[in-house]
Amino acid sequence: MKNYIALIIIIFFVKCAFSQSISKSLFLVVDRQTDTIIQHNENSNVKIKYYHVNKSKNWNLGLRHINSPNNFQNNFRYLLPKEMVSELERKGNLEDIKPFMIKLNNYNNKEVSQFFSKHYSYYYEYLQKGRKKTYKRYNIFIIFKSDLEKTFVPCYEMTLLKSRITEI
């Protein structure tokens, strides 16, 4: 009986450890000086935008950080301890945005969708006017290169929008 209780406790702790895993998160480092990032003023709901276009494979994607006081589907802004950033890099979850997008250029539209769904997606549930709603979100974050040396590094959750350039 004691063995069963010990086994249940071990399984519980293993489950907790994996549920806190950052392996399904992608942190993209953006340089304000060299990367094409669009930042809007405080009155706009879309605070940060980044676009990548692959004309040869007929797809594009957009990353947006959206935050509005009365919006139920806001993106979050987290403050990570500086030490966590080096851990993200060590585990392969922190990448510069340009080389990452260049790797994606090898994929067609369907493969890009599958890649992001497989590695970085989850379903978010929330209540809106007493009704349960669900939508797909992605564990994709932007970190500005200029913020990497701060004690607490701001990272911005991004909404991923994928589409074709021209319909087939």
Side-chain angles (χ1 to χ4, degrees):
M1 185 66 168
K2 286 183 182 180
N3 290 341
Y4 289 118
I5 293 172
L7 180 63
I8 291 170
I9 291 172
I10 290 170
I11 290 171
F12 174 76
F13 283 116
V14 168
K15 181 187 178 300
C16 289
F18 282 107
S19 67
Q20 298 297 318
S21 173
I22 59 171
S23 63
K24 287 192 63 101
S25 297
L26 174 64
F27 293 81
L28 296 169
V29 177
V30 174
D31 189 340
R32 285 184 174 107
Q33 306 297 320
T34 60
D35 294 323
T36 309
I37 190 92
I38 302 166
Q39 288 186 271
H40 293 275
N41 62 31
E42 291 299 315
N43 297 329
S44 173
N45 291 343
V46 178
K47 304 299 181 194
I48 303 168
K49 286 184 193 177
Y50 181 86
Y51 291 103
H52 179 76
V53 177
N54 184 332
K55 288 182 182 177
S56 65
K57 302 276 185 169
N58 191 34
W59 59 262
N60 64 47
L61 63 84
L63 296 171
R64 294 179 180 196
H65 177 76
I66 302 168
N67 198 301
S68 175
N70 298 317
N71 191 358
F72 290 100
Q73 298 179 5
N74 279 328
N75 295 127
F76 299 104
R77 179 178 166 260
Y78 300 103
L79 295 173
L80 289 179
K82 183 179 176 179
E83 298 78 19
M84 186 70 175
V85 174
S86 58
E87 184 67 14
L88 289 170
E89 188 172 18
R90 186 183 72 73
K91 291 190 173 203
N93 297 84
L94 183 73
E95 295 199 39
D96 286 330
I97 199 162
K98 279 185 182 175
F100 179 77
M101 294 299 171
I102 289 170
K103 283 193 281 187
L104 289 181
N105 283 338
N106 295 322
Y107 299 138
N108 64 34
N109 185 52
K110 183 180 178 182
E111 292 168 333
V112 168
S113 294
Q114 290 173 342
F115 172 79
F116 281 108
S117 290
K118 180 180 177 183
H119 295 289
Y120 306 114
S121 70
Y122 67 98
Y123 288 94
Y124 180 75
E125 295 180 346
Y126 64 100
L127 289 176
Q128 183 178 15
K129 297 181 182 176
R131 297 186 72 190
K132 181 180 157 187
K133 303 236 176 174
T134 304
Y135 75 101
K136 193 174 197 175
R137 291 179 83 139
Y138 295 88
N139 284 327
I140 301 173
F141 302 88
I142 292 280
I143 296 177
F144 291 107
K145 191 173 186 175
S146 57
D147 294 337
L148 287 174
E149 294 304 315
K150 292 181 177 178
T151 304
F152 291 97
V153 179
C155 56
Y156 302 88
E157 180 187 22
M158 305 301 281
T159 297
L160 176 67
L161 304 168
K162 301 174 300 290
S163 63
R164 293 185 187 275
I165 298 170
T166 57
E167 289 300 317
I168 296 175

